[in-house]
Amino acid sequence: MKTLHLLRHAKSSWAAAGTDDHDRELTARGERDAPRMGRALAGRMVPMPIHASSARRAQRTLEGLCDGWPALRLQAHLNDESLYTFDWQELLAWIQDLAINPESLFIISHNPALTELCNQLLGRAALDNLPTAGYLRFSIDIENWSDLTEGIASLEEHLFPRNLRDD
């Protein structure tokens, strides 16, 4: 049995004219939501390594998670250019091609890839849009990540910033 954790980066800004998409920063809301999600997730799971897109907004989201969940800082986190994708099939291939086979895998990436990956793993259109800083946890009855295919996951938990109580 495997557990897959997916988190969309926190709210990012389009305000800086001429900024490359890869280099966009978080908005004030994104800077607030990332630590809030870290605090909420700290009460739900043990710290683990996180694989995050190399995009600035994903890296800042990871930093914010760690601010809200200090024990997470003790883990080795991986900045991965391959996770800077908007294509669910590229995410699925990345997971299937992992050289390691951990029981739990945590990824921070982008939409529409995450929403579409969720729906493909569930085998149905369960989610219209994973909101920024939104979190999903799946259980998947497989031995190896290379066995991950469409329609075999169960959504065990979802957590969105709008559902958190104010700090």
Side-chain angles (χ1 to χ4, degrees), residues 49-91:
I50 295 178
H51 300 265
S53 160
S54 60
R56 178 77 179 140
R57 59 193 179 272
Q59 294 298 310
R60 290 290 300 136
T61 299
L62 177 55
E63 291 170 21
L65 285 178
C66 290
D67 289 345
W69 186 3
L72 196 57
R73 289 193 193 286
L74 302 176
Q75 297 295 315
H77 303 298
L78 304 164
N79 174 342
D80 196 313
E81 183 70 35
S82 299
L83 295 176
Y84 177 63
T85 184
F86 308 99
D87 183 328
W88 73 270
Q89 291 170 315
E90 289 178 8
L91 279 182

Side-chain angles (χ1 to χ4, degrees), residues 16-54:
T19 300
D20 182 69
D21 181 73
H22 190 272
D23 299 325
R24 290 191 295 123
E25 293 287 343
L26 296 182
T27 63
R29 185 177 101 198
E31 294 286 350
R32 279 190 315 270
D33 284 348
R36 290 176 67 221
M37 289 299 290
R39 285 188 290 280
L41 292 174
R44 290 172 163 76
M45 67 181 79
V46 298
M48 68 185 73
I50 295 178
H51 300 265
S53 160
S54 60

Side-chain angles (χ1 to χ4, degrees), residues 80-151:
D80 196 313
E81 183 70 35
S82 299
L83 295 176
Y84 177 63
T85 184
F86 308 99
D87 183 328
W88 73 270
Q89 291 170 315
E90 289 178 8
L91 279 182
L92 179 63
W94 183 90
I95 295 167
Q96 291 169 329
D97 292 343
L98 281 173
I100 57 172
N101 193 37
E103 292 304 307
S104 291
L105 179 62
F106 197 128
I107 297 171
I108 299 175
S109 192
H110 307 272
N111 255 359
L114 290 173
T115 296
E116 292 171 2
L117 179 63
C118 166
N119 291 333
Q120 293 298 323
L121 292 176
L122 294 174
R124 60 188 167 81
L127 188 65
D128 291 330
N129 179 53
L130 179 60
T132 53
Y135 164 80
L136 305 170
R137 179 173 49 89
F138 300 89
S139 63
I140 308 165
D141 192 12
I142 55 175
E143 292 292 321
N144 298 295
W145 288 108
S146 60
D147 299 328
L148 186 63
T149 59
E150 300 168 38

